[in-house]
């Protein structure tokens, strides 16, 4: 079974608008971390935001916020006031205690395009 | 500045010619890992290391070797590269293997094997 599911292969948003990128996860662990990464066309993997399973408040980092709904096992990324530079691939990822390799499980990604 | 560095960033080589991709972190992290990213397959873990001299296989270790002689360095070695190892490679590090620790990624190495 997929540990991380991103159901939107591509999303389009107009500049200055907000956009939500969906992510659902699957784990039976109580202790886990959820991460979002941005990968521009240049290829590097840029960390955006993190949510721990015990965090009661949704994480925020500047224009990025994470809509964490634990019961639904969803961790959607919200980008407010989109900018042209936000056009990139976005990956949701998870690390849990069941992961003896310490690895991150990645979703397949969502390609976001911001248009003027 | 806290960072993970990889070298080279781009490499084109021929089948069978041994190569090493270096990875170094300056954050005193115990955990380091290598991933490869391929279209349609996402990111897959190749090898990881919990600490100096402690390494183990990830999901796709065939054709790769690693070593961890110093805490900061975790090189990836391809003894006899083949075209199916053409990929984008990432080194990552984190404080530990724990689920609440963020993994910091290097800038990536684009490898082409002809």
């Amino acid at each position: 079974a997929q540990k991380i599911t991103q159901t939107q292969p591509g999303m389009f948003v107009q500049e200055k608008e907000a956009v939500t990128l969906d992510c659902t996860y699957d784990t039976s662990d109580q202790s886990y971390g959820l991460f979002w990464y941005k990968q521009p066309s240049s290829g590097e993997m840029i960390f955006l935001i993190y949510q721990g399973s015990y965090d009661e408040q949704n994480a925020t980092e500047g224009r990025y916020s994470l809509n964490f709904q634990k019961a639904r096992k969803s961790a959607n990324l919200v980008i407010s006031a989109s900018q042209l530079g936000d056009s990139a691939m976005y990956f949701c990822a998870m690390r849990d205690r069941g992961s003896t390799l310490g690895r991150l499980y990645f979703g397949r990604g969502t390609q976001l395009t911001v248009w003027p | 500045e806290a960072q993970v560095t990889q070298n080279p960033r781009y490499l084109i080589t021929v089948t069978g010619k041994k190569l090493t991709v270096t990875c170094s972190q300056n954050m005193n992290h115990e955990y380091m890992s290598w991933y490869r990213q391929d279209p349609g397959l996402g990111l897959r873990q190749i090898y990881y290391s919990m600490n100096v001299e402690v390494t183990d296989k990830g999901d796709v270790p065939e054709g790769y070797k690693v070593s961890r002689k110093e805490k900061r360095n975790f090189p990836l070695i391809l003894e006899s590269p083949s075209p199916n190892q053409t990929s984008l490679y990432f080194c990552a590090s984190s404080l530990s293997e724990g689920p609440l620790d963020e993994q910091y990624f290097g800038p990536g190495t684009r490898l082409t094997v002809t």
Side-chain angles (χ1 to χ4, degrees), chain B:
Chain B
E1 180 193 352
Q3 59 182 353
V4 179
T5 56
Q6 290 178 234
N7 282 292
R9 294 289 312 278
Y10 303 90
L11 179 59
I12 300 174
T13 190
V14 296
T15 298
K17 185 176 181 183
K18 180 180 178 179
L19 66 92
T20 299
V21 183
T22 64
C23 172
S24 184
Q25 50 91 9
N26 63 0
M27 295 168 278
N28 203 34
H29 284 170
E30 293 194 346
Y31 183 89
M32 297 186 75
S33 180
W34 277 101
Y35 295 86
R36 60 177 288 175
Q37 184 181 20
D38 302 289
L41 297 175
L43 283 97
R44 295 177 292 170
Q45 190 182 48
I46 304 171
Y47 267 96
Y48 69 99
S49 170
M50 299 285 205
N51 212 324
V52 175
E53 303 292 4
V54 181
T55 64
D56 209 343
K57 299 175 181 177
D59 299 321
V60 287
E62 294 77 23
Y64 304 94
K65 283 175 58 177
V66 293
S67 69
R68 186 98 181 267
K69 293 183 167 43
E70 303 167 286
K71 198 171 187 178
R72 63 184 294 128
N73 296 324
F74 190 44
L76 180 69
I77 302 155
L78 285 72
E79 295 270 2
S80 183
S82 62
N84 65 12
Q85 292 178 298
T86 292
S87 187
L88 177 58
Y89 291 87
F90 287 102
C91 179
S93 75
S94 63
L95 199 58
S96 76
E97 77 280 10
L100 306 182
D101 289 340
E102 176 202 339
Q103 281 199 20
Y104 294 81
F105 281 79
T109 296
R110 288 192 185 275
L111 172 65
T112 302
V113 184
T114 62

Side-chain angles (χ1 to χ4, degrees), chain A residues 21-74:
Chain A
L21 306 183
D22 294 342
C23 172
T24 57
Y25 60 92
D26 181 24
T27 181
S28 56
D29 288 350
Q30 297 301 309
S31 182
Y32 53 89
L34 296 156
F35 307 85
W36 277 92
Y37 290 87
K38 172 184 178 182
Q39 187 176 40
S41 57
S42 51
E44 67 266 32
M45 198 69 76
I46 302 166
F47 166 75
L48 294 178
I49 196 166
Y50 159 82
Q51 180 87 41
S53 57
Y54 298 116
D55 295 339
E56 295 189 352
Q57 301 222 342
N58 286 340
T60 59
E61 287 285 350
R63 294 185 299 110
Y64 303 107
S65 61
L66 202 154
N67 186 358
F68 181 45
Q69 297 187 42
K70 199 168 181 176
R72 297 179 62 184
K73 292 190 175 178
S74 77

